[in-house]
Amino acid sequence: MTLKFKPWLNQLPEYVAGRTIEEIKKKYNLENVYKLASNENIFGPCRQVKDFIKNSAGQDVNYYPDSDCREIRGKIASVFGILPENVILGNGTDQIIEMICDCFVNDDENVVIADPTFLIYEKAALKCGGSVIKIPLKDFRQDIPKMADSVNAGTRILFLTNPHNPTGANITKGEFENMMGKISSDILIVMDEAYYEYLSEGDKIDTVGYTKKYLNLITLRTFSKAYGLAGLRVGYGIAGSDIISGLNKIRLPFNVSSIAQKTAVIALENKGYVNDIRDKILKEKEKFYCVFKTEGISFIKSYSNFILVRSGEKNTEIVEELLRNGFIVRPGENLGIPGYMRVTISIPEINDKFLKAFIKIYKNYNS
Ligand SMILES: *Cc1c(COP(=O)(O)O)cnc(C)c1O
């Protein structure tokens, strides 16, 4: 007799996890390895968060966390001028995406996503017995009119990512407003804004404001990226109270740890820090652009803290050679964009080292 796993398990797309620093250190006998593969904030969280983790994060760990995340929900509500009942916390945004599909997608229903896009949307939808309608990117951007037109009677959710991952491209306010004006109010629109804090002020869309007007809209943000807390797993969703109370019905009671809740509060109290990070990243990004242009290497203009760069047919070899030199990047083959690679923008010193190594390797394989 063998165990009977559910059949859909075999259909789930596989997340090819990035290589770890330890793994690469050991494999190539390296002292320094730089992970530039998962778009983390290499500067780390703000000093106040670091101090808290060092000095008092261990207090009260024998108690369960606040199941309702009251303090952090109150904080988010006051920062955005909304009510705590409009906020839900997750063990990373990933978990909220999962909850959303669990709440809205039945067998034989579908969600509309871009192709390629962040993998979790598809995984969460398939897990519910649903399917995905994939709309190819157009010039590396989400084809929003086409996505909106592809909605059919079985569609429950439209997932959008701004800035997009893995391309770093943006969605304009005009594109967003046109789409919201057209789409039926019984379709849930998910605006995944994991990299929102990296947008310049003029490029930001006030999606939180729009959640008051559109009761079929949910905005997702995270502390994993610009706030530098990826390891603690905390993300949040903002929407009308009907959506939030639906999600709360299936949320596991203690889904966000007490340390994650507290550090998120401290991170928001020092919100100015993420603007400093954004400005530093903007400056570094210009450096990447400049080097790529000088070398005649094409890339996609990024609104985020990573760049998709055209490494060419020898991409696999280039990525491997970068590993041997201590740089972990994400090969486009794993992201649905062969011939490209995605690199996280790091601190100046590491960026300089990376660019030097990359250009040398790139030239070796493209001469
Ligand atoms: C990193 C990322 C997330 C979420 O991350 P969490 O760590 O689960 O909060 C969500 N969406 C996109 C597009 C991302 O790149």
Side-chain angles (χ1 to χ4, degrees):
M1 298 292 269
T2 54
L3 294 169
K4 292 192 168 57
F5 287 99
K6 290 186 178 180
W8 58 255
L9 276 178
N10 292 324
Q11 288 153 31
L12 287 182
E14 196 185 348
Y15 178 75
V16 187
R19 319 287 284 269
T20 67
I21 292 176
E22 284 315 311
E23 183 191 342
I24 299 303
K25 273 188 181 170
K26 222 166 134 187
K27 185 166 174 197
Y28 297 111
N29 193 21
L30 293 166
E31 205 165 310
N32 294 313
V33 170
Y34 307 103
K35 183 165 173 251
L36 307 174
S38 302
N39 308 334
E40 290 120 333
N41 169 2
I42 316 292
F43 291 89
C46 67
R47 180 182 49 78
Q48 293 82 350
V49 162
K50 284 181 186 158
D51 286 348
F52 168 75
I53 292 172
K54 204 161 92 194
N55 301 328
S56 41
Q59 267 169 34
D60 298 331
V61 288
N62 50 326
Y63 292 102
Y64 278 108
D66 174 12
S67 166
D68 292 328
C69 302
R70 286 182 198 89
E71 192 185 1
I72 178 63
R73 274 173 57 230
K75 191 86 210 167
I76 292 168
S78 76
V79 165
F80 290 105
I82 51 173
L83 299 170
E85 69 195 44
N86 299 120
V87 185
I88 188 160
L89 272 287
N91 196 283
T93 311
D94 287 358
Q95 190 184 42
I96 305 178
I97 295 167
E98 200 175 35
M99 291 193 268
I100 289 170
C101 285
D102 286 345
C103 279
F104 287 96
V105 181
N106 281 301
D107 276 347
D108 303 324
E109 293 179 337
N110 69 70
V111 308
V112 174
I113 62 174
D115 184 26
T117 191
F118 191 53
L119 188 78
I120 307 296
Y121 314 143
E122 178 170 4
K123 200 163 179 171
L126 296 187
K127 187 165 74 67
C128 299
S131 60
V132 285
I133 297 177
K134 294 185 180 183
I135 307 303
L137 300 179
K138 195 172 160 189
D139 298 328
F140 295 93
R141 305 181 79 244
Q142 291 160 100
D143 188 347
I144 299 182
K146 185 110 182 266
M147 290 176 80
D149 283 346
S150 306
V151 164
N152 62 34
T155 304
R156 296 282 81 90
I157 306 171
L158 175 59
F159 280 104
L160 293 170
T161 319
N162 188 34
H164 189 251
N165 181 6
T167 64
N170 72 330
I171 293 174
T172 65
K173 195 169 166 207
E175 286 172 323
F176 174 78
E177 282 181 345
N178 279 338
M179 185 260 317
M180 289 309 294
K182 266 199 283 186
I183 210 120
S184 162
S185 58
D186 61 353
I187 309 287
L188 179 68
I189 308 297
V190 178
M191 280 292 277
D192 180 349
E193 300 180 314
Y195 303 96
Y196 176 84
E197 294 81 5
Y198 285 110
L199 286 162
S200 301
E201 293 311 317
D203 292 325
K204 285 180 175 168
I205 304 173
D206 178 20
T207 49
V208 172
Y210 282 108
T211 60
K212 293 176 187 169
K213 180 173 173 193
Y214 294 109
L215 299 180
N216 59 327
L217 173 67
I218 182 164
T219 295
L220 303 181
R221 306 260 174 96
T222 182
F223 289 95
S224 297
K225 302 284 159 64
Y227 286 97
L229 294 175
L232 288 176
R233 314 300 304 123
V234 49
Y236 57 102
I238 295 177
S241 54
D242 282 354
I243 294 177
I244 299 298
S245 66
L247 295 175
N248 266 319
K249 289 185 181 135
I250 56 154
R251 187 176 59 81
L252 297 173
F254 305 113
N255 65 322
V256 182
S257 78
S258 48
I259 297 175
Q261 290 187 36
K262 189 65 197 175
T263 48
V265 169
I266 299 169
L268 273 186
E269 280 166 355
N270 298 281
K271 223 169 137 275
Y273 177 75
V274 297
N275 289 336
D276 293 347
I277 292 293
R278 176 191 59 194
D279 294 344
K280 284 179 178 152
I281 293 291
L282 274 173
K283 214 171 132 199
E284 288 303 297
K285 208 153 48 181
E286 288 301 326
K287 200 157 80 187
F288 277 74
Y289 291 169
C290 186
V291 172
F292 291 158
K293 278 180 190 158
T294 307
E295 302 294 338
I297 300 170
S298 52
F299 59 89
I300 311 306
K301 181 179 185 239
S302 167
Y303 290 78
S304 195
N305 70 330
F306 56 84
I307 302 184
L308 191 67
V309 50
R310 198 177 131 64
S311 31
E313 275 167 33
K314 293 285 167 59
N315 185 43
T316 311
E317 288 86 345
I318 293 174
V319 168
E320 192 63 31
E321 189 70 19
L322 280 169
L323 281 178
R324 267 193 286 276
N325 283 270
F327 299 99
I328 311 174
V329 301
R330 203 89 167 114
E333 286 71 17
N334 294 358
L335 298 167
I337 311 191
Y340 283 76
M341 59 183 222
R342 192 190 66 196
V343 55
T344 304
I345 299 162
S346 180
I347 60 176
E349 181 201 339
I350 299 175
N351 294 334
D352 293 345
K353 285 186 188 168
F354 168 79
L355 283 168
K356 208 171 145 204
F358 172 69
I359 296 303
K360 192 168 162 219
I361 296 166
Y362 177 89
K363 281 183 170 167
N364 269 344
Y365 283 99
N366 286 280
S367 56

